[in-house]
């Protein structure tokens, strides 16, 4: 009887604790957005919480309020943002056992930097929704939300000198600006993307940390009019020296030389490439539930 009673208590504990055992989720918004916008990150947080009872969802905020958070998505040095996020995650007791991460647009490559630079607490799965992993906004074709005046200024600034020190230090989009016609300038002067993509040498820690992910999921929007080239969302890019022909990840030197461990991850089944019809960050709730939610459970 004592053994049966103990077994019942164990089963009861599992049932009561099942919801609380959900893997926490960290999300990072894109350019011109904020952590808690009810039409974007607030909406994502809500639908995840509705489908996974008891889950802890942290929507990252960079700054003391929503206005600062939005402005920092344009003007705060990305390396400083990543350091701030790493500090937030390390101090959060909910995350000490590990967490899943989901980044939207530029938040995708920023969370990849977190995975590569800050292995504690451990990131388990990384979901990049429209992230530009080989760089992008080459030509900056369209602007999000109501930030058109900011984007007009950014376009002019990038055209004048994306790889100057002042612009690199203070303009987020310049830090992942990848000009295929100026590859040497990019490799030498990009203070963020060229670093996390191992363009100037191999940081074995970056490689080891990224390879520790269980899954690296990359979502590409098949009708994207904002990201140029859209294949950057699957880690592809333009062939060097021109801006017309693109190549997939497997034909890039990054993959062939396996500078980030992506080739090894691919062979191990850790890379997941998903395509969804629609423009940048346009997807249905049903698609999210059926395609993305399984990676969070």
């Amino acid at each position: 009887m004592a053994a049966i009673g103990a077994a019942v208590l164990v089963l009861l504990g599992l049932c009561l604790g099942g919801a609380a055992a959900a893997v926490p989720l960290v999300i990072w918004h894109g350019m011109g957005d904020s952590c808690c916008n009810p039409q974007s990150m607030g909406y994502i947080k809500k639908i995840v919480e509705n489908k996974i009872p008891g889950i802890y969802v942290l929507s990252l905020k960079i700054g003391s309020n929503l206005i600062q958070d939005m402005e920092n998505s344009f003007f705060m040095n990305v390396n400083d943002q990543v350091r701030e996020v790493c500090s937030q995650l390390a101090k959060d007791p909910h995350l000490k056992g590990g967490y899943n991460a989901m980044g939207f647009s530029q938040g995708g490559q920023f969370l990849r930097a977190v995975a590569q630079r800050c292995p504690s607490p451990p990131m388990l799965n990384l979901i990049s929704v429209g992230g530009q992993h080989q760089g992008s906004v080459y030509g900056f074709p369209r602007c999000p939300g109501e930030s058109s005046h900011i984007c007009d200024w950014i376009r002019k600034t990038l055209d004048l000198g994306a790889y100057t020190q002042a612009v690199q230090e203070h303009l987020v989009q310049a830090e992942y600006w990848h000009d295929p016609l100026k590859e040497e300038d990019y490799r030498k002067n990009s203070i963020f993307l060229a670093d996390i993509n191992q363009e100037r040498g191999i940081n074995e820690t970056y490689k080891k940390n990224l390879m520790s992910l269980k899954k690296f999921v990359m979502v590409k929007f098949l009708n994207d009019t904002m990201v140029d080239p859209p294949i950057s969302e699957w880690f592809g890019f333009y062939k060097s020296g021109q801006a017309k022909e693109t190549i997939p990840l497997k034909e890039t030197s990054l993959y062939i030389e396996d500078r980030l461990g992506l080739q090894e991850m691919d062979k191990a089944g850790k890379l997941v490439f998903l395509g969804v019809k629609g423009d940048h960050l346009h997807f249905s709730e049903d698609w999210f539930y059926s395609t993305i939610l399984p990676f969070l459970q």
Side-chain angles (χ1 to χ4, degrees), residues 7 53 62 66 71 93 136 148 158 162 164 166 211 241 244 257 259 274:
I62 313 298
L66 301 189
E71 291 176 343
S136 190
S148 59
L158 290 171
T164 62
M211 290 175 65
K244 292 184 179 180
E257 298 168 7
R259 299 200 303 266
L274 301 176

Side-chain angles (χ1 to χ4, degrees), residues 89-106:
L89 302 186
K91 294 174 182 176
D92 193 327
H94 296 93
L95 307 178
K96 61 183 180 181
Y99 64 96
N100 292 322
M102 182 160 49
F104 295 82
S105 197
Q106 67 184 24

Side-chain angles (χ1 to χ4, degrees), residues 80-91:
D80 292 339
Q81 293 192 53
V82 170
R83 276 190 288 270
E84 164 63 22
V85 166
C86 289
S87 177
Q88 287 186 34
L89 302 186
K91 294 174 182 176

Side-chain angles (χ1 to χ4, degrees), residues 102-265:
M102 182 160 49
F104 295 82
S105 197
Q106 67 184 24
Q109 60 262 34
F110 296 174
L111 278 171
R112 175 163 65 85
V114 171
Q116 292 174 207
R117 294 175 177 176
C118 307
S120 182
M123 185 184 295
L124 305 178
N125 295 298
L126 172 58
I127 303 169
S128 168
V129 184
Q132 302 102 50
H133 293 282
Q134 282 275 27
S136 190
V137 205
Y138 176 72
F140 215 60
R142 188 168 63 79
C143 196
E146 299 177 357
S147 306
S148 59
H149 63 292
I150 296 176
C151 292
D152 287 340
W153 177 84
I154 289 174
R155 286 189 189 97
K156 294 175 183 176
T157 303
L158 290 171
D159 287 341
L160 287 172
Y163 299 119
T164 62
Q165 183 176 352
V167 173
Q168 282 287 312
E169 290 285 348
H170 301 291
L171 181 57
V172 167
Q173 288 68 43
E175 295 172 48
Y176 59 86
W177 182 268
H178 187 172
D179 189 336
L181 305 180
K182 298 179 180 178
E183 288 283 359
E184 189 56 36
D185 286 346
Y186 158 70
R187 280 191 291 270
K188 182 178 179 182
N189 298 309
S190 170
I191 66 172
F192 174 69
L193 190 70
D195 176 67
I196 65 167
N197 280 4
Q198 309 271 47
E199 299 281 5
R200 294 189 287 263
I202 305 301
N203 182 325
E204 293 295 342
T205 300
Y206 282 6
K207 187 173 180 177
K208 176 185 175 183
N209 290 343
L210 188 64
M211 290 175 65
S212 71
L213 290 172
K214 293 181 179 178
K215 295 287 184 183
F216 179 9
V217 181
M218 288 169 269
V219 177
K220 174 187 171 185
F221 291 89
L222 302 179
N223 310 104
D224 205 314
T225 63
M226 182 172 174
V227 174
D228 185 0
I231 200 170
S232 182
E233 297 169 15
W234 280 349
F235 244 116
F237 201 60
Y238 288 114
K239 267 191 174 180
S240 183
Q242 49 85 61
K244 292 184 179 180
E245 185 181 354
T246 61
I247 55 174
L249 168 61
K250 290 185 177 182
E251 294 179 22
T252 66
S253 59
L254 181 70
Y255 185 93
I256 294 168
E257 298 168 7
D258 210 17
R259 299 200 303 266
L260 273 176
L262 294 173
Q263 182 184 140
E264 193 167 337
M265 292 176 73

